[in-house]
Amino acid sequence: MTCAACAVSVESILKKATGVKDAGVNFANQSAWVEYDSSISQPTDLQNTVRSIGYDLVVNVEDPQAVQEEAKRKHYKEVKNRTLWSSILSVPVVVIGMFFMNMPYGNYISMVFTSPVVFWFGRNFYVNAWKQANHGKANMDTLVALSTGIAFIFSTFNTFSPEFWHQRGLHAHVYFEAAAVVIAFISLGKLLEERAKSSTSSAIKKLMGLQPKTVRVILNGTEQEIPVASVKVSNTIVVKPGEKIPVDGVVKNGASYVDESMISGEPVPVEKTAGEKVFAGTVNQKGSFQFEALKVGGDTILAQIIKMVQQAQGSKAPVQKLVDKIAGVFVPVVIGIAILTFTVWMLFGGDNAFTHALLTSVTVLVIACPCALGLATPTAIMVGVGKGADNNILIKDAESLELAHKVNAVILDKTGTITEGKPVVTNLSWQVENALPEMKNILYVLESKSEHPLAEAVVNELKKEFINNVAMTDFESLTGRGVRAIVNHTMYFIGNKKLLHENQINLTDATEQLATSWQSEAKTVVFFANDKTVLAVIAIADKIKATSKAAIAALQDKGIEVYMLTGDNEQTAKAVASQVNLKHYQAEVLPSGKASFVKELQEQGKVVAMVGDGINDSHALAQADVSVAMGKGSDIAMDVAKITLITSDLQLLSKAFNLSRKTVRGIRQNLFWAFIYNVIGIPLAAGVLYPVNGFLLDPMIAGAAMALSSVSVVGNSLRLRASKI
């Protein structure tokens, strides 16, 4: 399927098939579901039904996805070859038409080069135009087929029978270059569309790749490796360090930290002990444990995320292109004018009525050739995309570029979007005067041995000051509290307040006050102590990006409502929102909750942009009108999103909206110039001035006007390159 209309056609034919109760087609992932009576109809019958309208269904094969991918690859290759060869063959035709019009056999050479472009490489335009005509509709394909077909037929007649015009005192002009160039240009546009569309399903594939293919299960007291598809509810599954969790379940024994950023978006791994829930697709860290499977197959959270992304992508039918809307009115009008022109000349043309009627009506159809009209949108889009790339804004979808300037609600993820996305030490206060290098060394060595996710932040902070190793004994990790070890016959502790209380280590009022103030700023506080006193207080947090506050202010100044949605706790969310001056925020939001909020705003009539960086944002990104990913985020988020901010700087978001506004303005200006050309040219081609001064539009002038119109459109688009966003 090449467009949303194709999906509608397939869906309607399936619904009408014998024995079918209901059916649906997802354009995004090129799939269909059918509810049918197996006693009346079989999958092969449905396949034949779909084949009858020019499409195909993949049924009764071992790997349908592989077959589908091969079909997509072949189609893209076909479009690419079509574009390449039509462009190559058009070059000599244009050269002859522009510079060597009077060369011997020039018209015959042009005809030979144009024939394969029109009848082979451009055949799809004629097929689609015929399908549209059968349904009483007209679009850009109709305009292309009509103008290029008429131009070719008229030019061929003039090549073989120039004397028909010479006897009547007229020059037998040909339009081969117009026919060839239009098909080459429009084919290039189709190729760019296919290229952009080919990445739609790659996000789904990557999400599916998060689930391991095999899993270790304890069956009859022994550990066995089985396919993940064979896992049943209540099976006991073994997870080792660094492995992905295959299904949803609850921990039976063992302990570890699990990276759940794909669900929560939060960078800090979560501690898992007996009784804690674990989810498919999340990644185990250093420990190992066993868990009981609770949800398998399509019931897991990962499977639900995949399903929701597919549905969100498929539900968004592309906005019908403005040019197609225009063509739907323009084509019948042009045909009407051509018929009217022929009729009027036949009735009032005198002695040369037929000659003038034929010449003027054909000139009307040829001069309406959609070269400028066809260039109006793609040239502006291409320049806009290039301008975006120059400013670290990667735009994958023309629709998003056209729509972005209408955005009036922006939803921001917290971690990795507003914040850096990585815990760092924000404060380190030594509670002893002139902290000895030895103290820093002890703190460094203890944290480097710890498995706790926050320990890495302390190690990174201290490694530049680390001098010598220290002899350490009796190192012990205390679950939920911290670590302890003996250095030089002294016990040292690193952990939370609970660990200090357990070992009768008292906090001074000043230390406690300091810790409380940091905690109110949504920072995690860690204490370093010996067996008598607290030596240092450390604050760890996910730092807010330096540009986030200014970026949010810039969006708010445009009158855009800005929201923050995060899987983090209320305290942290409140603190971050306060620091960047955000009024609207929600904490502890699941992936499906983010998408629901997007939908809720859309139902209020808002044009919503979603900005995120993680797998947990993928459903909301797919649902949003404009989806924006951070360049340093997950590959899946970038695949789902249609715009990527390469440097992960939120300030680029305002630039993207400005770029969209200027690009759309350029498209409108281009369409104006294209239409001015037709508004002036078509009446002249019809011969409205003939009764006044005996003037009939010379085909040479028509060709020059057509070229000038295209040049003005391209020139106007190129102005965007020099503009500031």
Side-chain angles (χ1 to χ4, degrees):
M1 297 183 294
T2 58
C3 64
C6 302
V8 172
S9 297
V10 174
E11 188 172 303
S12 62
I13 199 80
L14 280 171
K15 283 181 176 178
K16 290 174 185 174
T18 308
V20 172
K21 295 174 185 176
D22 199 10
V25 174
N26 188 322
F27 174 60
N29 64 343
Q30 306 277 293
S31 66
W33 62 266
V34 184
E35 187 182 338
Y36 64 97
D37 187 341
S38 57
S39 64
I40 301 173
S41 188
Q42 293 298 316
T44 49
D45 300 325
L46 299 173
Q47 186 183 41
N48 292 330
T49 301
V50 172
R51 282 175 175 174
S52 69
I53 57 164
Y55 304 99
D56 201 357
L57 269 182
V58 180
V59 296
N60 299 334
V61 295
E62 283 186 17
D63 192 351
Q65 208 170 11
V67 175
Q68 193 183 48
E69 286 303 311
E70 179 63 19
K72 283 183 188 175
R73 191 188 60 78
K74 278 184 178 176
H75 178 68
Y76 178 75
K77 192 177 177 181
E78 186 188 319
V79 175
K80 189 177 177 180
N81 287 338
R82 196 165 69 213
T83 305
L84 179 65
W85 283 106
S86 59
S87 302
I88 291 170
L89 293 170
S90 296
V91 172
V93 181
V94 172
V95 171
I96 293 170
M98 297 284 287
F99 307 107
F100 303 100
M101 289 173 288
N102 297 318
M103 71 177 285
Y105 304 106
N107 289 354
Y108 290 96
I109 296 168
S110 294
M111 184 179 70
V112 168
F113 279 108
T114 305
S115 296
V117 175
V118 173
F119 295 111
W120 183 249
F121 299 115
R123 66 189 185 281
N124 280 18
F125 297 112
Y126 295 92
V127 171
N128 292 337
W130 179 250
K131 285 180 180 176
Q132 289 287 327
N134 282 340
H135 291 92
K137 295 178 181 177
N139 64 358
M140 194 68 181
D141 288 338
T142 311
L143 197 55
V144 172
L146 189 66
S147 56
T148 56
I150 293 289
F152 185 86
I153 292 166
F154 189 67
S155 301
T156 303
F157 175 81
N158 290 356
T159 299
F160 287 106
S161 305
E163 64 280 355
F164 178 85
W165 299 107
H166 295 161
Q167 289 168 4
R168 291 158 176 80
L170 296 167
H171 180 68
H173 194 76
V174 297
Y175 297 90
F176 288 123
E177 73 278 5
V181 167
V182 168
I183 286 173
F185 265 125
I186 308 291
S187 295
L188 178 62
K190 296 272 186 189
L191 178 67
L192 295 172
E193 274 182 37
E194 286 295 322
R195 204 168 160 188
K197 205 176 67 186
S198 64
S199 64
T200 307
S201 62
S202 60
I204 307 294
K205 283 183 248 171
K206 286 186 178 178
L207 278 169
M208 289 173 174
L210 290 174
Q211 192 177 52
K213 299 287 184 287
T214 60
V215 57
R216 280 182 294 275
V217 178
I218 296 176
L219 296 171
N220 303 320
T222 60
E223 191 176 303
Q224 298 179 28
E225 193 168 316
I226 64 169
V228 72
S230 303
V231 176
K232 292 180 173 60
V233 174
S234 77
N235 278 164
T236 299
I237 297 164
V238 180
V239 182
K240 294 185 177 178
E243 290 184 343
K244 291 172 183 172
I245 292 165
V247 296
D248 295 357
V250 62
V251 178
K252 289 176 72 175
N253 54 64
S256 184
Y257 288 92
V258 175
D259 181 355
E260 292 186 342
S261 57
M262 62 154 286
I263 295 170
S264 66
E266 300 312 306
V268 180
V270 180
E271 187 181 6
K272 299 293 180 182
T273 54
E276 297 280 340
K277 286 184 177 179
V278 290
F279 306 99
T282 57
V283 182
N284 183 32
Q285 300 294 286
K286 296 177 181 178
S288 70
F289 59 89
Q290 294 179 3
F291 74 95
E292 182 185 344
L294 295 181
K295 292 180 179 178
V296 300
D299 296 327
T300 66
I301 284 193
L302 175 62
Q304 292 302 312
I305 291 174
I306 293 169
K307 189 179 176 182
M308 288 185 296
V309 170
Q310 286 178 330
Q311 287 173 344
Q313 286 184 329
S315 64
K316 283 200 318 178
V319 178
Q320 191 185 6
K321 297 287 184 285
L322 181 58
V323 173
D324 273 348
K325 287 182 179 178
I326 293 164
V329 178
F330 185 60
V331 174
V333 169
V334 169
I335 294 170
I337 292 171
I339 293 168
L340 181 65
T341 301
F342 187 88
T343 306
V344 170
W345 275 104
M346 286 298 291
L347 292 172
F348 305 106
D351 295 337
N352 292 320
F354 178 74
T355 305
H356 287 155
L358 183 63
L359 183 65
T360 51
S361 57
V362 169
T363 307
V364 165
L365 290 171
V366 171
I367 206 168
C369 195
C371 216
L373 196 60
L375 288 169
T377 303
T379 54
I381 293 291
M382 284 165 85
V383 174
V385 168
K387 184 75 176 176
D390 292 341
N391 287 273
N392 294 313
I393 303 164
L394 182 64
I395 300 160
K396 299 194 297 187
D397 178 75
E399 187 186 330
S400 294
L401 183 58
E402 289 177 37
L403 191 60
H405 74 288
K406 294 181 181 177
V407 167
N408 52 20
V410 171
I411 298 172
L412 304 174
D413 174 48
K414 177 182 74 71
T415 309
T417 302
I418 296 175
T419 67
E420 296 284 357
K422 191 177 179 182
V424 294
V425 173
T426 57
N427 310 86
L428 174 56
S429 176
W430 288 96
Q431 302 299 294
V432 291
E433 288 186 19
N434 303 320
L436 298 170
E438 186 190 6
M439 289 293 108
K440 292 179 180 178
N441 287 344
I442 293 169
L443 176 58
Y444 177 89
V445 172
L446 260 71
E447 287 289 59
S448 63
K449 293 287 183 187
S450 173
E451 292 182 357
H452 198 282
L454 295 178
E456 190 181 347
V458 180
V459 170
N460 289 335
E461 178 70 16
L462 293 174
K463 63 183 176 186
K464 49 185 177 280
E465 299 183 48
F466 178 61
I467 303 167
N468 296 310
N469 209 337
V470 292
M472 180 176 65
T473 58
D474 297 332
F475 178 88
E476 188 180 0
S477 180
L478 306 163
T479 304
R481 289 164 291 166
V483 296
R484 68 182 178 192
I486 295 173
V487 179
N488 296 331
H489 310 292
T490 303
M491 181 71 79
Y492 289 91
F493 304 89
I494 303 172
N496 54 23
K497 197 184 286 187
K498 189 178 177 183
L499 181 65
L500 299 184
H501 289 327
E502 282 178 2
N503 294 277
Q504 287 82 49
I505 303 166
N506 293 321
L507 288 167
T508 65
D509 290 343
T511 304
E512 189 142 16
Q513 194 175 348
L514 181 66
T516 304
S517 69
W518 286 347
Q519 283 171 333
S520 68
E521 296 171 10
K523 296 174 181 178
T524 301
V525 175
V526 177
F527 300 94
F528 173 46
N530 57 23
D531 51 8
K532 294 175 183 174
T533 185
V534 174
L535 303 172
V537 187
I538 308 158
I540 301 167
D542 185 8
K543 279 177 72 178
I544 292 170
K545 292 176 185 175
T547 57
S548 290
K549 189 175 178 179
I552 289 166
L555 292 170
Q556 290 170 335
D557 290 344
K558 290 179 186 284
I560 297 170
E561 291 178 8
V562 185
Y563 304 83
M564 181 184 78
L565 301 184
T566 177
D568 212 340
N569 61 66
E570 174 69 24
Q571 186 186 13
T572 305
K574 188 178 180 180
V576 171
S578 169
Q579 288 177 60
V580 294
N581 292 334
L582 263 178
K583 295 176 185 174
H584 311 291
Y585 71 91
Q586 288 185 23
E588 299 175 9
V589 184
L590 293 173
S592 57
K594 290 185 180 183
S596 299
F597 189 70
V598 172
K599 209 167 182 180
E600 192 181 308
L601 290 178
Q602 288 171 329
E603 286 168 355
Q604 294 172 20
K606 297 187 186 296
V607 179
V608 183
M610 173 70 199
V611 188
D613 77 322
I615 297 165
N616 64 308
D617 302 317
S618 57
H619 182 199
L621 287 167
Q623 180 64 46
D625 299 294
V626 177
S627 48
V628 184
M630 293 297 186
K632 294 175 183 175
S634 76
D635 288 348
I636 291 162
M638 283 188 279
D639 276 351
V640 174
K642 298 301 174 31
I643 298 173
T644 299
L645 308 181
I646 296 169
T647 59
S648 293
D649 184 352
L650 258 184
Q651 287 183 315
L652 293 177
L653 192 59
S654 280
K655 283 193 173 185
F657 293 165
N658 291 340
L659 178 63
S660 168
R661 192 182 68 254
K662 291 190 174 187
T663 304
V664 170
R665 189 191 297 157
I667 291 170
R668 287 171 180 165
Q669 290 167 347
N670 288 349
L671 289 172
F672 171 78
W673 285 114
F675 268 95
I676 284 293
Y677 156 73
N678 279 299
V679 166
I680 297 170
I682 289 174
L684 290 177
V688 293
L689 295 180
Y690 188 80
V692 180
N693 56 10
F695 174 81
L696 277 179
L697 188 67
D698 190 295
M700 290 293 293
I701 298 172
M706 189 193 297
L708 184 64
S709 175
S710 298
V711 168
S712 67
V713 163
V714 173
N716 187 55
S717 295
L718 290 172
R719 283 195 313 121
L720 182 60
R721 274 190 187 169
S723 68
K724 190 178 178 182
I725 61 168

